[in-house]
Amino acid sequence: MANEIIGAVEQAIYLIVTLNPELIEITIRSLYISLSATLIASLISIPIGGVIYYYEFHGKRTLINLIQTLYSVPTVIVGLFLFLLISQRGPLANLNLLFTPEGMIIGQVLLILPILIGFTVTALIGVSNQIKELAIALGANAYQTIITIIKEARYAIMGAVILAFGRAISEVGVAILIGGNIRGFTRVFTTTISLETSKGNIELSIALGFILLAIALIINLMLNYLQGRE
Amino acid sequence: MMHIVELEKIYKNYEKLQVLKNINMKIKRSTSTALVGPTGSGKTVLLRLINLLEKPSSGTVYFEGINANASSNASLKIRRQMGMVFQKPLAFKGNVYDNVAFGLKIRGDKKDIKARVKETLETIGLKGYENRNALKLSGGETQRLALARAMITNPKLLLLDEPTANLDPISTKKMEDLILEINSERETTLIMTTHDLSQGQKLANRMIILNDGHILQSGKPDEIFRKPKNKFVADFVGIENIMNGEAEEIGDGLVSIKTDSINIITVTEKRGSVNLSIRPDEITISKEKVKTSARNVIQGIVEEIVDTGSLIRLIINAGELFTVFITRESLTELEISIGTPVWMNFKVSAVHVF
Amino acid sequence: MNNKNIAIIAIIIIIIAAIGIYAFSASSSPDKSKLRISTTTSLEDTGLLKEVEAAFEKKYPGVDVQVVSGGTGIALQYGQRGDVDLMLVHDKKREEEFIKNGTGTNRTEFAYNYFWIVGPSNDPAGIKGLNATEAFKKIAQEGQANPDQVKFVSRGDESGTHSREKKIWNDSKVGYKNVTNSSWYLESGKGMGDTLLVANEKNAYTLSDSGTFLSYTKDGKISLVPLITSGKALLNVYAAIPINPDKHPKTNIEAAQNFVDFLVSPEGQAIIGKYGQEKYGQPLFTPVPTNPLPSLITPLVSVSSPA
Ligand SMILES: Nc1ncnc2c1ncn2[C@@H]1O[C@H](COP(=O)(O)OP(=O)(O)OP(=O)(O)O)[C@@H](O)[C@H]1O
Ligand SMILES: [Mg+2]
């Protein structure tokens, strides 16, 4: 058993060191899809989080609870929901998003929106009310105040973004249902790992797992560096 | 001339707690006003109402004659003509430069930001601090940063909530000088709160005494010290020799005020139950009963002798406790020690009735 | 928002765009028509389609073949809903339903192979030489008598292989319900590879597809041996069904039919017949026309395009 693992790890390292074309291609595609999804979701969620934080309105608490409940929606459910929308029988069939990277990006955006909005709100609430009043007293309007608070909470929000990216790149429900795991087109880390494992091709899976870990490590180092500068 | 700020029948409640009660005040342009009162009297809340951070429960805040809370847009415009320094010094994450430039950037006032920040920091005594981390400044530095941040936009009205509360005596002196300079050179209208009467006296040409949400008295500092309107103000401003009694006419236009144990002669319109105070520096002391023009001649026994440095403070029991100041020479000359009986002499005009 | 933040976001966008352009410069081909084929993971796993796809795309350079793989259920859903142009499946009952309800135009069988009953080389239940149903009955009997010696590991995951296993238990009169309660019967709840590893560990029998089994033995991961490798009960027929354009007008019926024709053409059949020889030392599939199906099963149906 131990020998088997060592052997597989050796081969995995060999694949990485020799820049195996399939490995590179899957890595680049996975990064492209999940980074795009994270960027788009951030651009949507952070302002929405700011608005939810700033304004007092009826049902605010309920809305936040609802968003927090959505954190734990299984990725397959999100994938299925989107699939039913964009499939040929669905209302959005004409967008031709099924089995495309763009469709996967949209699915991952939907998947991580709740986490990003919820964590943004939490991060903003964590900034003291006095900072908010300071901004207002210095003449900031609603928009400028929200921006100021977001800046104050930037590291917490960045943490949320990284968490969301982690969820996006490691999810398999959307990737398989919307992407369809098409070789050379929509195949990503997670779908490859599950496919290759069931084929008994453990080396490629382990190699991909290593790359995923390496990406997580790099991102965390970046975050630590930024936080250290604060 | 139009008042820059006017408060009309302001009430402020938090739930059931009534924090401000029927506040009416008018602030003239280029003046400096000190809101003075004990902890919890409502100074901060009043300042926040003027800064439009809070709305009154009832009543109206006028800025340059218009209702300042008419719309959030109007409020924003008006607020941008003010500067506020909070009681608790606070800074945004980032460097000193970004903190000070905040007000300018937010107003879209992009001209010469660098030069103006530099100049303001110099004025405030934080020269060359631009790239320092604002969160790592000392308390006093943060306080000055807050003032710089508020004054860089050249506000018409500058609101300062206990600007020296967290400072050591030297920093306090510096801050006070700065405030005076801002008021006199820039003609900025100032409203500040303070616990410290002498600071109010030093920095403000008008004082408003606040207690328990009420304005008890407002006027020139001098006036308040000389003529407190009631016992609370008198106590609060630290006036000595306060007593109360029944005022009765005794002819010759004179009034005798009978306390529980003594009679004091004075001139006043008031009758019935009144408060009075006698300024300690207007009381003279003698060992024997002497003939003077003073109408009040009262005997008492020295109970306490306190060396305050230049002067000696005597506490004399004459039924009521009196505070009197004498010089060190007089003390030895008159051979006064604890238990010595002495005579106190003071004029009718030394007595203030309220 | 200040200029610094805008600059940072702009840089991120540029990086992502660059990655995107790089990632798709090779594969994006707007003037090509797409042929979407849905298949179950078990067929995709063998790697056969990869080779057929390459040969087909060489012959039809205007077509970009995209093989979509998912679980059995979702693969059929993709077809049912018209999200793909062609289905490659191996579940005859469901395939016939597809033709009946008009989702598919026709059904063309293009290859077959057998599930294998594999087990320890000493064959403790003595099933070698029996047919599949007899063998299962024997395993049940010996397992009951001797649960320490004779064991069976099931995938237990509702996959195609698992449903075939259930069918054999029922056909052998042992009854699937009865075996699930027995101490000699184990469920891995995992994929074929893991199930083989478990069976190897426990010296147990299991039902496997030949591809996964050969790949695991070749790598030396397991020492199990194939015991029964043919017979009607183990037959696994692969068929292609183009999606009906009358029902789903957007489907690419032309390319789909071309692909089916290619599968049964001598060229396609040669690829199928040879596939696996190099990698596993023996082919994984038997092409249909050159080696007619055993007479036990329904004769070959091959209908050409209605167009
Ligand atoms: N947001 C609020 N909610 C409830 N009560 C409040 C609120 N803000 C102030 N108060 C109460 O109003 C009263 C006046 O408070 P305020 O802060 O104005 O006092 P202050 O005169 O500034 O005191 P200090 O000298 O200690 O700063 C206090 O009793 C305080 O507890
Ligand atoms: Mg206060």
Side-chain angles (χ1 to χ4, degrees):
Chain A
M1 201 68 187
N3 278 345
E4 197 175 276
I5 293 174
I6 292 167
V9 169
E10 270 172 14
Q11 289 203 38
I13 292 170
Y14 174 79
L15 285 175
I16 295 172
V17 172
T18 56
L19 298 177
N20 176 285
E22 196 179 356
L23 196 70
I24 301 290
E25 183 215 297
I26 290 169
T27 303
I28 288 174
R29 181 177 308 110
S30 299
L31 283 177
Y32 164 71
I33 289 173
S34 297
L35 281 176
S36 306
T38 308
L39 180 72
I40 293 167
S42 302
L43 292 178
I44 297 171
S45 310
I46 295 171
I48 290 180
V51 168
I52 293 176
Y53 155 80
Y54 186 80
Y55 291 100
E56 290 303 326
F57 53 88
H58 208 70
K60 175 167 171 169
R61 198 58 246 167
T62 318
L63 179 66
I64 292 176
N65 282 336
L66 182 76
I67 290 168
Q68 288 174 340
T69 308
L70 291 177
Y71 290 179
S72 46
V73 168
T75 64
V76 179
I77 299 297
V78 176
L80 201 58
F81 168 75
L82 183 61
F83 169 69
L84 292 175
L85 283 180
I86 64 176
S87 151
Q88 283 308 315
R89 290 249 189 101
L92 302 178
N94 286 333
L95 298 178
N96 289 324
L97 284 169
L98 192 61
F99 308 141
T100 62
E102 291 71 32
M104 296 167 78
I105 290 173
I106 292 172
Q108 293 190 349
V109 167
L110 292 179
L111 183 72
I112 61 178
L113 270 182
I115 288 194
L116 268 171
I117 296 176
F119 279 44
T120 301
V121 174
T122 313
L124 297 181
I125 288 173
V127 174
S128 97
N129 210 34
Q130 291 165 344
I131 288 284
K132 178 177 173 181
E133 284 194 332
L134 177 59
I136 295 173
L138 289 171
N141 61 26
Y143 168 75
Q144 291 165 332
T145 306
I146 293 174
I147 295 291
T148 305
I149 304 299
I150 289 175
K151 277 193 193 164
E152 287 289 315
R154 58 183 174 263
Y155 294 110
I157 292 176
M158 237 182 265
V161 169
I162 284 170
L163 195 76
F165 173 73
R167 182 159 157 90
I169 202 156
S170 63
E171 72 83 33
V172 73
V174 168
I176 204 104
L177 274 163
I178 305 300
N181 195 18
I182 298 170
R183 186 164 24 81
F185 190 51
T186 59
R187 189 163 291 180
V188 289
F189 280 134
T190 52
T191 57
T192 317
I193 288 174
S194 67
L195 179 82
E196 296 300 323
T197 308
S198 77
K199 268 176 22 183
N201 193 353
I202 296 169
E203 299 76 27
L204 187 58
S205 299
I206 292 183
L208 291 168
F210 277 158
I211 295 178
L212 255 175
L213 275 178
I215 289 169
L217 185 69
I218 290 168
I219 288 171
N220 274 309
L221 288 177
M222 271 161 52
L223 187 71
N224 279 341
Y225 170 72
L226 285 171
Q227 277 169 340
R229 283 183 19 156
E230 188 184 351
Chain B
M1 200 175 90
M2 199 201 300
H3 292 98
I4 185 160
V5 173
E6 190 176 341
L7 304 187
E8 194 180 88
K9 293 191 193 129
I10 297 285
Y11 287 80
K12 179 71 187 175
N13 308 325
Y14 292 112
E15 315 266 297
K16 284 202 179 113
L17 181 70
Q18 203 169 44
V19 176
L20 292 178
K21 299 154 193 169
N22 195 19
I23 302 289
N24 293 284
M25 58 192 251
K26 294 178 178 175
I27 307 288
K28 282 202 193 104
R29 214 177 284 278
S30 304
T31 57
S32 169
T33 306
L35 296 173
V36 189
T39 275
S41 55
K43 304 180 297 287
T44 298
V45 173
L46 187 53
L47 220 53
R48 289 166 60 86
L49 279 166
I50 296 172
N51 197 215
L52 312 180
L53 289 173
E54 301 202 34
K55 288 192 174 133
S57 305
S58 71
T60 318
V61 179
Y62 297 96
F63 187 86
E64 297 186 326
I66 60 167
N67 179 354
N69 284 310
S71 71
S72 61
N73 233 338
S75 301
L76 179 66
K77 256 192 203 150
I78 290 170
R79 199 184 295 113
R80 286 187 171 182
Q81 301 177 48
M82 306 186 205
M84 170 85 159
V85 174
F86 288 98
Q87 188 165 358
K88 193 178 154 201
L90 207 60
F92 294 122
K93 271 184 194 167
N95 59 23
V96 170
Y97 176 88
D98 286 335
N99 265 272
V100 177
F102 187 89
L104 294 178
K105 286 184 183 166
I106 270 198
R107 285 165 177 75
D109 184 354
K110 298 258 163 75
K111 236 177 49 201
D112 303 331
I113 292 190
K114 245 196 182 130
R116 287 159 77 182
V117 170
K118 187 162 180 267
E119 188 200 318
T120 310
L121 285 177
E122 270 171 31
T123 313
I124 220 84
L126 295 177
K127 189 174 172 196
Y129 270 55
E130 278 91 339
N131 290 318
R132 296 272 286 265
N133 182 341
L135 297 183
K136 299 264 162 77
L137 296 182
S138 75
E141 287 168 337
T142 311
Q143 194 78 294
R144 273 185 267 172
L145 167 69
L147 183 57
R149 200 168 45 196
M151 61 186 262
I152 195 167
T153 56
N154 247 326
K156 285 184 184 168
L157 174 64
L158 189 57
L159 306 170
L160 307 169
D161 198 359
E162 312 249 1
T164 62
N166 306 293
L167 304 183
D168 63 59
I170 294 171
S171 306
T172 300
K173 175 78 172 58
K174 275 191 196 160
M175 184 61 87
E176 286 174 353
D177 291 347
L178 256 169
I179 291 169
L180 278 174
E181 194 183 312
I182 292 167
N183 181 231
S184 58
E185 283 180 17
R186 302 192 179 208
E187 301 202 333
T188 308
T189 312
L190 271 180
I191 304 178
M192 54 182 291
T193 69
T194 178
H195 280 105
D196 179 359
L197 265 161
S198 65
Q199 182 173 67
Q201 204 176 7
K202 231 181 293 174
L203 300 183
N205 37 42
R206 197 157 159 254
M207 288 205 322
I208 296 177
I209 312 287
L210 212 60
N211 185 43
D212 194 22
H214 289 287
I215 292 182
L216 295 185
Q217 188 171 358
S218 69
K220 293 206 175 80
D222 226 37
E223 215 174 282
I224 290 175
F225 278 97
R226 275 179 197 287
K227 297 182 175 167
K229 264 192 188 158
N230 58 36
K231 186 151 164 28
F232 178 86
V233 176
D235 270 339
F236 186 71
V237 300
I239 291 174
E240 323 256 5
N241 303 330
I242 300 169
M243 304 152 206
N244 60 12
E246 287 290 319
E248 259 172 45
E249 223 163 316
I250 52 165
D252 287 347
L254 295 179
V255 169
S256 162
I257 300 175
K258 207 180 244 159
T259 75
D260 286 343
S261 42
I262 53 172
N263 279 332
I264 289 166
I265 315 292
T266 185
V267 183
T268 176
E269 305 287 293
K270 292 206 169 84
R271 300 291 179 269
S273 179
V274 296
N275 294 310
L276 67 89
S277 70
I278 304 141
R279 292 168 56 87
D281 47 318
E282 299 206 24
I283 301 176
T284 59
I285 298 282
S286 57
K287 208 65 179 287
E288 310 292 330
K289 187 168 181 177
V290 289
K291 259 218 136 112
T292 64
S293 60
R295 294 299 287 259
N296 291 294
V297 181
I298 296 169
Q299 192 177 31
I301 290 169
V302 177
E303 279 206 340
E304 226 183 301
I305 303 171
V306 185
D307 194 337
T308 64
S310 53
L311 288 175
I312 307 292
R313 180 212 289 266
L314 301 179
I315 308 292
I316 297 168
N317 191 341
E320 303 280 345
L321 285 180
F322 282 78
T323 298
V324 181
F325 288 106
I326 58 172
T327 60
R328 200 176 297 274
E329 294 82 60
S330 312
L331 186 74
T332 35
E333 204 175 293
L334 293 173
E335 296 176 330
I336 292 173
S337 57
I338 289 176
T340 313
V342 292
W343 291 91
M344 296 179 285
N345 314 291
F346 52 93
K347 291 180 182 164
V348 165
S349 61
V351 181
H352 168 62
V353 182
F354 54 99
Chain C
M1 196 174 288
N2 66 26
N3 297 337
K4 209 168 74 188
N5 291 1
I6 293 173
I8 290 171
I9 288 179
I11 288 170
I12 294 172
I13 292 174
I14 290 168
I15 291 172
I16 292 175
I19 295 175
I21 290 165
Y22 176 79
F24 296 110
S25 56
S27 58
S28 73
S29 36
D31 45 321
K32 276 191 182 178
S33 82
K34 273 184 189 165
L35 171 61
R36 284 163 166 179
I37 303 174
S38 108
T39 178
T40 59
T41 20
S42 54
L43 182 55
E44 165 86 6
D45 282 357
T46 63
L48 168 68
L49 288 174
K50 198 172 165 182
E51 266 183 40
V52 177
E53 180 187 329
F56 179 81
E57 281 181 343
K58 213 167 167 188
K59 194 166 174 191
Y60 297 92
V63 180
D64 179 16
V65 175
Q66 300 193 332
V67 178
V68 177
S69 62
T72 313
I74 194 70
L76 293 168
Q77 273 290 320
Y78 289 145
Q80 187 82 52
R81 302 175 67 93
D83 291 321
V84 292
D85 312 302
L86 179 67
M87 288 197 305
L88 301 181
V89 279
H90 53 122
D91 187 338
K92 198 169 167 210
K93 223 164 113 194
R94 272 156 136 172
E95 290 159 25
E96 280 168 348
E97 258 168 49
F98 261 81
I99 306 293
K100 228 191 267 164
N101 69 23
T103 305
T105 55
N106 56 62
R107 177 172 175 277
T108 307
E109 294 172 341
F110 62 90
Y112 71 88
N113 60 9
Y114 294 95
F115 287 110
W116 288 1
I117 300 174
V118 302
S121 52
N122 65 350
D123 188 14
I127 61 168
K128 196 151 184 145
L130 302 177
N131 70 29
T133 44
E134 285 164 0
F136 267 41
K137 199 186 272 174
K138 191 88 186 290
I139 289 170
Q141 279 165 4
E142 299 290 321
Q144 206 70 42
N146 222 342
D148 287 343
Q149 296 293 312
V150 178
K151 293 193 184 79
F152 189 94
V153 180
S154 164
R155 283 180 66 168
D157 62 353
E158 302 303 325
S159 59
T161 311
H162 182 219
S163 64
R164 178 63 67 101
E165 180 208 318
K166 283 194 219 169
K167 188 171 182 306
I168 301 173
W169 286 119
N170 288 331
D171 289 350
S172 67
K173 302 278 178 337
V174 177
Y176 177 65
K177 269 200 191 122
N178 300 327
V179 297
T180 50
N181 293 326
S182 310
S183 60
W184 52 269
Y185 184 85
L186 311 165
E187 288 192 8
S188 75
K190 293 189 187 142
M192 196 67 250
D194 286 319
T195 307
L196 283 169
L197 291 175
V198 174
N200 190 56
E201 204 79 11
K202 306 254 175 207
N203 264 322
Y205 295 96
T206 189
L207 184 72
S208 173
D209 65 88
S210 53
T212 313
F213 178 82
L214 288 171
S215 138
Y216 270 64
T217 23
K218 185 174 159 273
D219 295 349
K221 289 187 182 113
I222 53 173
S223 57
L224 301 173
V225 296
L227 294 165
I228 302 167
T229 57
S230 63
K232 183 192 169 185
L234 298 176
L235 183 65
N236 193 18
V237 182
Y238 295 88
I241 304 178
I243 302 303
N244 191 346
D246 296 340
K247 200 152 183 187
H248 298 292
K250 274 187 167 176
T251 54
N252 189 353
I253 182 67
E254 191 192 327
Q257 196 57 53
N258 283 342
F259 194 85
V260 175
D261 293 344
F262 180 76
L263 281 173
V264 294
S265 72
E267 193 186 345
Q269 293 283 295
I271 294 170
I272 295 168
K274 270 194 300 214
Y275 183 73
Q277 182 74 52
E278 233 171 81
K279 198 169 167 194
Y280 307 117
Q282 69 180 94
L284 295 186
F285 301 93
T286 313
V288 166
T290 47
N291 264 16
L293 288 176
S295 55
L296 315 154
I297 62 157
T298 43
L300 167 70
V301 190
S302 180
V303 191
S304 56
S305 164

